[in-house]
Amino acid sequence: MVRVFAGHAFATPELLAQALTHRSAGSPHNERLEFLGDALVNQFIAEALYRRWPKADEGALTRARAELVRESALASIARMLDLGAHLRLGPGEMKTGGQRRDSILADALEALVAAIYLDAGFEACRAVVLPWFAPLMAALPPPHKVGKDAKTRLQEWLQARQHPLPVYTLLHESGEDHARTFRVSCTLAVPALQTEGEGSSRRAAEQQAAEAALSQIEDA
């Protein structure tokens, strides 16, 4: 019997069944497969990034890989594959919506990767898995920006040119406690520039103002 799932025809459907079984539903469950799948995903992504960015340093490659293999990214791929609808969960997990939880979806995706590998081998597994990550990889910023927030990137840009650091000033704060809005300015001495940002927290507003400043100085 062969079962096709997520672009792979399983010669051993028992592997697929195990990959889709959460420990709350009994044994054999997917935790051992998850362990193996985690290593495989990291290797596939590391190799893909190494080839994609031949001039990127280790730090940029490491940050990019972390972005692509983080729990929320894996869960988004699992949703794309409609993995949650096929999971076997115990009654408690079903009742609390476990089939929609990022942690359970991400773990199941890793288990699925391992199941494909054990069923068909390394090359076949990589050929199936890497296309899942293609949209996320295409959306990555340039190597020098990946994994760094706007305030960090702005500070590094200024420090590299020995310019004074930016000054962030709270301009306005409004709204009820559960729905606050903050407006912040970001002022640069060199180049002379002031931008503003707004967000649900002061930090978010500062990030938006820093992003606006970066957009202006990098486009100049």
Side-chain angles (χ1 to χ4, degrees):
M1 182 175 69
V2 175
R3 182 173 176 183
V4 178
F5 188 84
H8 176 68
F10 279 87
T12 309
E14 293 81 5
L15 284 168
L16 174 61
Q18 183 178 350
L20 298 175
T21 302
H22 187 258
R23 69 174 303 159
S24 63
S27 293
H29 53 71
N30 63 12
E31 286 188 354
R32 281 174 54 82
L33 289 174
E34 174 201 337
F35 166 78
L36 178 58
D38 174 72
L40 288 164
V41 168
N42 272 276
Q43 181 166 347
F44 294 155
I45 296 304
E47 181 184 358
L49 288 169
Y50 184 85
R51 296 181 184 281
R52 182 183 181 89
W53 289 343
K55 296 182 180 180
D57 61 23
E58 180 188 5
L61 292 170
T62 299
R63 290 191 298 272
R65 181 179 61 184
E67 285 285 312
L68 293 170
V69 304
R70 71 186 192 276
E71 182 179 277
S72 59
L74 297 180
S76 72
I77 294 172
R79 291 188 179 95
M80 177 189 71
L81 299 174
D82 198 25
L83 205 55
H86 300 274
L87 292 179
R88 290 182 58 211
L89 303 170
E93 288 292 353
M94 285 293 293
K95 187 175 181 180
T96 58
Q99 70 274 20
R100 296 187 296 273
R101 193 173 305 139
D102 276 10
S103 58
I104 289 178
L105 288 171
D107 291 347
L109 184 78
E110 290 176 337
L112 176 62
V113 171
I116 295 172
Y117 163 73
L118 293 173
D119 189 67
F122 187 87
E123 297 296 337
C125 182
R126 180 171 56 185
V128 171
V129 171
L130 276 181
W132 301 348
F133 288 85
L136 296 177
M137 199 168 291
L140 285 172
H144 68 284
K145 292 184 179 181
V146 68
K148 296 184 180 181
D149 62 35
K151 288 181 66 176
T152 299
R153 288 187 281 119
L154 178 58
Q155 179 174 315
E156 289 180 350
W157 190 93
L158 293 168
Q159 287 177 327
R161 293 158 179 77
Q162 298 184 331
H163 295 336
L165 294 180
V167 176
Y168 297 95
T169 305
L170 179 63
L171 300 177
H172 185 65
E173 181 180 349
S174 62
E176 302 295 329
D177 287 343
H178 65 282
R180 305 293 288 171
T181 299
F182 297 81
R183 177 163 286 277
V184 168
S185 67
C186 172
T187 304
L188 307 185
V190 181
L193 176 66
Q194 184 176 84
T195 58
E196 294 185 6
E198 189 173 289
S200 57
S201 68
R202 180 165 180 169
R203 174 175 172 76
E206 289 175 351
Q207 293 288 356
Q208 190 180 97
E211 191 67 62
L214 278 167
S215 295
Q216 292 195 36
I217 61 180
E218 289 178 346
D219 290 343

